[in-house]
Amino acid sequence: MTTAVSLPLATFRDFVYLLAIIGFILALKGLGSPRFARRGNQLGALSAIAAVAVTFTLPSLRHWSTNLALALVAMALGAVIAVPVARLVKMTAMPQLVAIFNGVGGGAAALIAITELLHLHALGLKPAVYVTAEVLLGVLIGSVSFSGSAVAFIKLQELITGRPITYPGQQAINALVGVAIFALIVVALVTGDLAPVYVLLGLALVLGVALVLPIGGADVPVLISLLNSFTGLAVAASGFVLDNNLLIVAGTLVGASGIILTRLMSSAMGRSLPNILFSAFGAVITATGGEEGDASRSVRTGTAEDVGVLLAYARKVVIIPGYGLAVAQAQHTVRELADALTAKGVDVFFAIHPVAGRMPGHMNVLLAEANVPYEDLKEMEEANLEMPTADVALVVGANDTVNPAAKSTPSSPIFGMPIIDADEAQNIIFLKRSMRPGFAGIDNELLYDPKTTLLFGDAKDTLQKLVAAVADA
Ligand code: TAP
């Protein structure tokens, strides 16, 4: 005999929330490894869908029928815009896509927080101090994240200069905005009025812009990760306002993982977070050789045919991909070259620097897209153990991540950044278009090394020539 158990709706909802939270945590764990990343992503999406669906059963949802219709229309509109954008975005434009998605998340959290306050005022209720505090937190962090992400997007999309924008009195003006925000928070907490909250919203938007303007284009991915963390915290704050445990936990997870990623990226660049945020890195070209390298020194250039022979008769070839591989969209061609060399009995692997490219995991994603097996990718520390025994280090569109100045030149802006030791290989081949430096804007001594041969040109074209040359060798 079976007994029908009727579960109170609230208990059922909390149970689904709990499952969704476990799903989010497992999803994050899955995203940490290339093998389980896809499954982790699917689990995260599924958990989010379940959580959103069950949220519609909340008894506290006001004007339920009107809100439901509006929410569904908004979700459908969002999906119509986001799905094609996410599908069609180029891999090199991924950081700005993350920036814009993150920004709207922060903006939404700020608006939700302020709407709750409006609601209480409409009912003629004075909010408790702790409620005002939660709202202020959501408004402040969410607005900074919104406007900061918008400027980050504009910079990365090159709608304005990617270089740090500085002006006289910048620090003083930022400090003044900070003091004004603090004062407004105190006034809002004491009076519970709406007016200071609106002014705070405006000033927080200004602060977001002011914080991002002095940050250089290629430091922006680190900043986006930090803003992402802010958005998580803003969402957690709106969770307190709405008394919703799921938002609190999910927001905190985003906040914590964002800050961990920010720290990982900063240390892989050999720089502290305050240095990234406040040093206006890249405002001037610090290169010993300027934009086009050191014209007074000679470099050795070669032909694809000669390099093809060198590669085909090598025992071990280490391919070091960088940002230029993404620009050239040469991931499929580089895999063809690796396959051709492997077929000739050459031991080939890819050495992946943690900040090669412009976003975390940039190279892993590109190479996975070209079906390069995970086993053929080695992380920096593991790869460096093998560099002295490599016959050829083939540097494809990488520059800063192999620049020995990071180890040898204390005055260099990248001194202390861990690098892939391409300089320790017997031969070094650089595939790049010119003598222009990488993101850090500094000359690379390795380009002038007697062991180095340069193959100028777009990486994809040069790789195609190398594939043909290896076949003929
Ligand atoms: P970079 O040092 O930026 O060098 C990229 C190289 O690619 C340049 O030398 C460029 O030279 C070449 N290139 C560009 N387009 C090319 C094309 N179509 N064909 C061939 N070559 C091309 O790259 P990296 O070694 O990957 O280092 C990444 C930099 O970004 C580091 O400084 C890192 O700190 C910074 N960064 C990374 C991240 C993350 S999370 N990945 C975040 C923030 C900052 P030419 O112009 O002469 O071709």
Side-chain angles (χ1 to χ4, degrees):
M1 202 181 85
T2 54
T3 323
V5 180
S6 115
L7 217 56
L9 195 57
T11 311
F12 171 70
R13 196 174 47 239
D14 285 345
F15 182 63
V16 176
Y17 277 178
L18 184 65
L19 290 183
I21 287 166
I22 295 172
F24 290 152
I25 293 170
L26 292 177
L28 278 177
K29 188 156 173 44
L31 287 171
S33 97
R35 197 175 296 281
F36 300 109
R38 190 181 288 265
R39 220 178 293 164
N41 211 356
Q42 288 163 346
L43 181 64
L46 203 74
S47 306
I49 290 171
V52 170
V54 82
T55 300
F56 286 116
T57 64
L58 269 179
S60 62
L61 277 182
R62 288 177 298 280
H63 315 299
W64 200 85
S65 53
T66 334
N67 283 347
L68 183 64
L70 282 175
L72 290 177
V73 170
M75 286 158 94
L77 271 179
V80 166
I81 297 169
V83 170
V85 169
R87 283 199 165 275
L88 297 177
V89 66
K90 279 202 205 142
M91 202 41 90
T92 41
M94 199 56 99
Q96 45 269 55
L97 183 73
V98 175
I100 204 84
F101 280 179
N102 176 57
V104 290
L111 289 180
I112 287 171
I114 217 162
T115 307
E116 265 317 284
L117 205 60
L118 279 175
H119 175 67
L120 290 176
H121 276 266
L123 295 177
L125 299 172
K126 187 174 171 352
V129 174
Y130 77 90
V131 174
T132 311
E134 290 161 1
V135 169
L136 292 174
L137 215 59
V139 170
L140 175 63
I141 307 176
S143 307
V144 167
S145 187
F146 174 73
S147 60
S149 300
V151 179
F153 172 83
I154 293 169
K155 278 194 168 209
L156 291 171
Q157 197 65 25
E158 290 175 4
L159 299 175
I160 57 172
T161 173
R163 294 213 170 276
I165 298 174
T166 53
Y167 44 87
Q170 193 164 29
Q171 310 281 22
I173 293 171
N174 288 355
L176 217 64
V177 175
V179 171
I181 285 178
F182 182 73
L184 283 165
I185 290 176
V186 174
V187 174
L189 284 175
V190 172
T191 63
D193 285 348
L194 271 173
V197 184
Y198 285 134
V199 184
L200 176 79
L201 178 83
L203 276 187
L205 291 173
V206 173
L207 185 66
V209 175
L211 281 179
V212 178
L213 281 181
I215 296 178
D219 276 347
V220 172
V222 184
L223 172 83
I224 289 173
S225 170
L226 185 70
L227 290 174
N228 194 30
S229 165
F230 283 3
T231 294
L233 296 180
V235 168
S238 59
F240 280 109
V241 175
L242 296 175
D243 213 3
N244 184 306
N245 289 336
L246 181 87
L247 281 184
I248 297 173
V249 177
T252 311
L253 283 177
V254 173
S257 47
I259 206 78
I260 291 172
L261 183 60
T262 308
R263 281 188 57 87
L264 285 176
M265 284 163 82
S266 320
S267 62
M269 293 166 80
R271 295 169 51 209
S272 68
L273 188 56
N275 177 277
I276 289 174
L277 294 182
F278 305 119
S279 73
F281 190 76
V284 284
I285 293 286
T286 43
T288 41
E291 284 274 12
E292 287 290 340
D294 187 345
S296 65
R297 299 171 71 189
S298 59
V299 292
R300 186 170 64 172
T301 57
T303 65
E305 290 69 29
D306 291 344
V307 173
V309 172
L310 177 71
L311 291 172
Y313 289 96
R315 271 173 302 113
K316 187 189 284 184
V317 172
V318 182
I319 303 177
I320 307 168
Y323 180 62
L325 180 85
V327 177
Q329 285 293 295
Q331 60 273 30
H332 295 281
T333 324
V334 80
R335 202 218 58 225
E336 277 174 43
L337 179 66
D339 288 350
L341 291 173
T342 308
K344 287 204 176 272
V346 183
D347 177 11
V348 185
F349 71 86
F350 290 82
I352 310 293
H353 190 283
V355 290
R358 290 292 184 271
M359 60 179 192
H362 204 161
M363 297 300 119
N364 302 63
V365 174
L366 270 185
L367 296 173
E369 187 192 316
N371 291 324
V372 173
Y374 302 133
E375 307 79 61
D376 292 357
L377 310 186
K378 290 194 180 168
E379 291 188 8
M380 181 172 60
E381 292 77 14
E382 197 187 344
N384 277 345
L385 294 175
E386 298 206 32
M387 291 314 297
T389 56
D391 299 303
V392 184
L394 180 65
V395 184
V396 184
N399 197 342
D400 298 341
T401 48
V402 292
N403 190 342
K407 293 188 287 189
S408 60
T409 315
S411 60
S412 170
I414 60 165
F415 185 69
M417 167 169 153
I419 59 159
I420 294 187
D421 299 327
D423 53 328
E424 291 187 5
Q426 308 306 313
N427 297 279
I428 304 140
I429 311 291
F430 264 94
L431 270 48
K432 69 199 298 297
R433 298 164 305 180
S434 65
M435 287 300 286
R436 273 193 302 272
F439 141 71
I442 50 169
D443 214 2
N444 188 345
E445 194 61 31
L446 201 54
L447 297 172
Y448 307 95
D449 193 297
K451 291 192 291 186
T452 297
T453 305
L454 291 162
L455 286 184
F456 285 123
D458 178 73
K460 190 168 176 179
D461 293 343
T462 313
L463 282 166
Q464 276 162 351
K465 289 183 193 148
L466 285 179
V467 173
V470 167
D472 290 345

